[in-house]
Amino acid sequence: MRALMSKKFILFFILILASFSLAGCQKEASNALMAAERIPIQHNGRLKPLSSFSKQTLKLVAGKERWEKKDATVFMLEILKNPFSAQSISFIRIDFEPLKEKLNLDKSRVYFSYQELSAQAETIQTLVRAAKKNRDADVRPTAIQQKAELLYNQFKTVEALSSGESLKFIPVPGRTDWLSPYEFHPPFLPDFKKIVILYGSKDSEFLAGTEDWIEKIKNGSPELSLSKINLEVFYNHWKPFEAAAVFYLFAFLLFTFVSKPWGRPAGVILMATAVVCHSFGILTRVIVLGRPPVSNMYESMIFMNWALVVFALVFYAIKKNLAALTVGSLVSAFIMIYADLLPIDSSLEVLVPVLRSNYWLSIHVMTIVSSYGAFGLAMGLGHRHLFLNKFTRFSKKAEKESADLIYRVIQLGVLLIGTGTVLGGVWANESWGRFWGWDPKETWALITFLGYLIVIHLKFAKKISDFQIALSSVLGFQLVLMTWYGVNFVLGRGLHSYGAGTGGMNWVIYFLIFEAVFLSFISVRKSSV
């Protein structure tokens, strides 16, 4: 009877969590809005639904995916009724004080309109040209130049939106690029502008007109896949990575704080559910984009996290050590949350030319990023080991098992990063005509490889203790952080600068401060024991 009650409780608990994590996609949108979200548009080199275009455009310009409590697609539909009105909307976000001062803007405001910024267009372009000059000289642009580049991108996005230039809804037979209904009206299609104007006032007519439009576009565009469009719309609503983060977090709580017999199986079920959500999100990006999901910082974080979880499951199965799952679930939830906090692009985009080789992208980049997953798991296990060691909650056997698990995970990471670095050299020889050139990314990958290699050699030779290998796993991850984030977001130079970005430094600094405080705390305790 008790076993039956436990099973019912587990099922009820999982259903409650599922309802919580999927709450965002349970809100009923009107049929008209649902149809509008599926309207295909050509943008940034690929076909995508209007919902993706709307979210990406609003996120770039305003820094968020909703505006004045309106869904991005609703906001975009209002603009589509009169694109020129976009110029008068104060939704261009500028939060960098020195840039506002340079442009003589009101420092108390965060949002500005295209019309307000037009008077400062020349100043913005001057800063952008200076940034380009620095990049051409392999010098990192100044902070104000980088912010000006972002502002220029926002400015031109609104300009293209208001003119209708970026609103490419019409496929043309025999041409790869689509056209805008605000610049061209083919006789074989309904008037797009007359359909859009119906939204909000005559939704039933808008629905019928939209469905007719999508059907005619499908018949006139062989490359358009409505199944991919629908899948992407579903992905936008469901947000599988956010759902996975919730399940990972609750799995950790069950593993850690529930000592009842049902705690572990319930945690494993939640962990498996999280992996399914996580895998679905990655698979969706692969299907929609037709490439491995590791082309930018956001995708690499999501895939690194997935690899970390897979390694945690494998080591749990091999070692029968629950620590792998406990730590894996916590670190995974942490990385998922961090990926959303960092101001990095999470949209689904095509590859830059140098990366357009699915073969090398699959075997080189995925191998390297997988190594980050192994090192991330080792780092989490190292924190656990040091924490328990400080409070003397380790038996000699448990301490030995913990250190051995960290050692094995680091070995896996070294194997992967070593293999990935060599494969990267082969790809570099094909792309740039040389195997090795001491590029910052190459150099730091080598430093990371050698750093961890020293650790496993010292452990093999019994020159470091169990405590020291745990400490090394935490310190070693700082090398990974520099290779992964620092080269692109801090140095921003070299042949790998196609992956360069800005922002998120404050969150990385918070992490480094936490690590410094944690290690200082542990070291003081260790020296006093």
Side-chain angles (χ1 to χ4, degrees):
M1 182 68 179
R2 182 175 294 179
L4 180 61
M5 290 295 291
S6 296
K7 289 180 181 179
K8 287 183 176 179
F9 178 80
I10 293 172
L11 180 59
F12 175 75
F13 186 59
I14 291 172
L15 289 174
I16 290 295
L17 289 177
S19 299
F20 173 75
S21 64
L22 303 179
C25 65
Q26 296 299 320
K27 296 177 181 177
E28 287 196 11
S30 68
N31 291 334
L33 179 58
M34 292 172 64
E37 290 176 333
R38 297 173 53 245
I39 298 175
I41 182 173
Q42 187 183 68
H43 178 244
N44 284 355
R46 77 176 186 92
L47 302 179
K48 62 182 68 171
L50 180 61
S51 63
S52 292
F53 171 78
S54 303
K55 286 177 181 290
Q56 186 178 351
T57 301
L58 190 56
K59 184 72 177 289
L60 170 64
V61 176
K64 52 187 178 182
E65 294 183 354
R66 297 181 68 85
W67 183 253
E68 296 179 344
K69 299 181 181 180
K70 296 176 185 175
D71 179 84
T73 307
V74 173
F75 176 72
M76 187 59 64
L77 285 168
E78 291 180 355
I79 289 180
L80 291 179
K81 294 178 182 180
N82 178 20
F84 190 75
S85 65
Q87 293 194 5
S88 60
I89 302 174
S90 296
F91 70 128
I92 300 178
R93 183 181 180 91
I94 308 175
D95 52 13
F96 191 60
E97 296 296 329
L99 181 58
K100 286 193 277 189
E101 183 177 353
K102 181 75 173 178
L103 300 177
N104 297 317
L105 299 174
D106 185 351
K107 291 184 180 180
S108 64
R109 294 176 56 191
V110 177
Y111 295 101
F112 302 86
S113 70
Y114 176 92
Q115 293 173 346
E116 291 175 300
L117 295 173
S118 295
Q120 300 297 332
E122 183 56 38
T123 304
I124 298 171
Q125 290 177 10
T126 299
L127 290 169
V128 171
R129 284 193 291 267
K132 183 179 184 305
K133 184 177 180 180
N134 282 348
R135 293 188 191 281
D136 291 342
D138 202 18
V139 176
R140 186 173 179 81
T142 63
I144 194 170
Q145 290 171 352
Q146 293 178 47
K147 294 296 182 180
E149 288 180 312
L150 172 60
L151 177 57
Y152 182 75
N153 196 5
Q154 295 169 302
F155 187 80
K156 299 303 287 187
T157 297
V158 176
E159 183 176 86
L161 188 63
S162 63
S163 67
E165 179 186 349
S166 61
L167 304 174
K168 298 183 177 181
F169 292 102
I170 302 174
V172 180
R175 293 181 55 170
T176 56
D177 57 320
W178 288 24
L179 298 177
S180 168
Y182 299 90
E183 300 176 331
F184 172 71
H185 179 210
F188 56 87
L189 286 175
D191 191 331
F192 182 84
K193 292 174 285 186
K194 289 183 178 179
I195 295 175
V196 171
I197 206 73
L198 297 171
Y199 181 78
S201 58
K202 299 180 179 179
D203 283 350
S204 59
E205 294 180 35
F206 172 82
L207 175 60
T210 299
E211 290 179 342
D212 180 53
W213 173 273
I214 293 174
E215 186 63 29
K216 285 184 167 61
I217 293 297
K218 175 187 174 184
N219 295 334
S221 179
E223 73 273 16
L224 174 63
S225 170
L226 286 184
S227 59
K228 286 186 179 182
I229 293 290
N230 293 334
L231 179 62
E232 189 170 347
V233 170
F234 179 73
Y235 171 89
N236 289 336
H237 276 288
W238 186 33
K239 298 184 177 179
F241 299 128
E242 292 183 12
V246 173
F247 286 123
Y248 282 134
L249 185 57
F250 277 95
F252 165 75
L253 294 175
L254 284 176
F255 288 139
T256 306
F257 299 107
V258 177
S259 57
K260 300 285 186 181
W262 55 264
R264 181 180 291 197
V268 170
I269 291 172
L270 287 177
M271 189 83 167
T273 306
V275 173
V276 170
C277 295
H278 198 159
S279 301
F280 172 80
I282 291 176
L283 183 61
T284 298
R285 296 181 78 100
V286 172
I287 293 172
V288 170
L289 298 173
R291 59 165 176 79
V294 285
S295 71
N296 56 37
M297 188 66 185
Y298 178 81
E299 289 186 342
S300 70
M301 289 183 75
I302 295 303
F303 183 78
M304 170 269 196
N305 195 16
W306 183 83
L308 185 156
V309 173
V310 170
F311 296 149
L313 290 169
V314 170
F315 278 102
Y316 170 70
I318 295 174
K319 296 285 187 179
K320 307 301 180 185
N321 192 331
L322 187 61
L325 286 189
T326 304
V327 170
S329 58
L330 177 61
V331 176
S332 297
F334 176 79
I335 293 172
M336 287 291 197
I337 294 169
Y338 236 60
D340 282 334
L341 290 175
L342 289 172
I344 51 180
D345 185 15
S346 61
S347 58
L348 288 78
E349 288 304 329
V350 296
L351 294 170
V352 295
V354 72
L355 293 179
R356 288 177 186 170
S357 169
N358 278 355
Y359 174 75
W360 286 113
L361 192 64
S362 299
I363 65 173
H364 163 58
V365 181
M366 293 179 73
T367 303
I368 289 288
V369 174
S370 295
S371 76
Y372 299 163
F375 293 138
L377 178 59
M379 179 267 296
L381 290 167
H383 278 87
R384 173 184 177 273
H385 186 108
L386 295 174
F387 182 82
L388 294 179
N389 182 275
K390 170 181 171 53
F391 291 101
T392 61
R393 296 174 59 182
F394 258 148
S395 66
K396 289 294 183 182
K397 180 183 178 183
E399 185 174 12
K400 180 81 170 64
E401 289 177 350
S402 175
D404 181 64
L405 181 59
I406 295 170
Y407 177 52
R408 296 304 179 190
V409 175
I410 290 177
Q411 283 181 317
L412 174 62
V414 168
L415 176 64
L416 289 170
I417 197 172
T419 303
T421 302
V422 172
L423 291 172
V426 177
W427 189 10
N429 189 53
E430 285 193 8
S431 299
W432 300 317
R434 93 289 186 277
F435 181 84
W436 192 266
W438 296 106
D439 180 80
K441 179 72 80 173
E442 297 167 349
T443 303
W444 276 100
L446 179 61
I447 291 171
T448 303
F449 170 70
L450 294 176
Y452 278 104
L453 193 63
I454 290 171
V455 171
I456 62 174
H457 274 76
L458 289 174
K459 181 62 178 175
F460 179 78
K462 299 182 179 178
K463 298 294 184 181
I464 57 176
S465 65
D466 293 343
F467 176 87
Q468 288 169 329
I469 194 169
L471 182 63
S472 299
S473 69
V474 175
L475 292 174
F477 194 75
Q478 313 315 309
L479 296 177
V480 174
L481 195 61
M482 182 62 198
T483 305
W484 191 17
Y485 175 88
V487 171
N488 288 348
F489 284 73
V490 178
L491 298 180
R493 54 188 297 183
L495 290 173
H496 289 80
S497 60
Y498 52 79
T502 59
M505 179 62 73
N506 54 335
W507 291 104
V508 175
I509 291 174
Y510 296 153
F511 173 75
L512 294 176
I513 290 173
F514 165 78
E515 291 289 54
V517 171
F518 176 80
L519 293 177
S520 299
F521 184 60
I522 294 297
S523 299
V524 169
R525 169 70 180 178
K526 187 68 177 176
S527 61
S528 63
V529 174

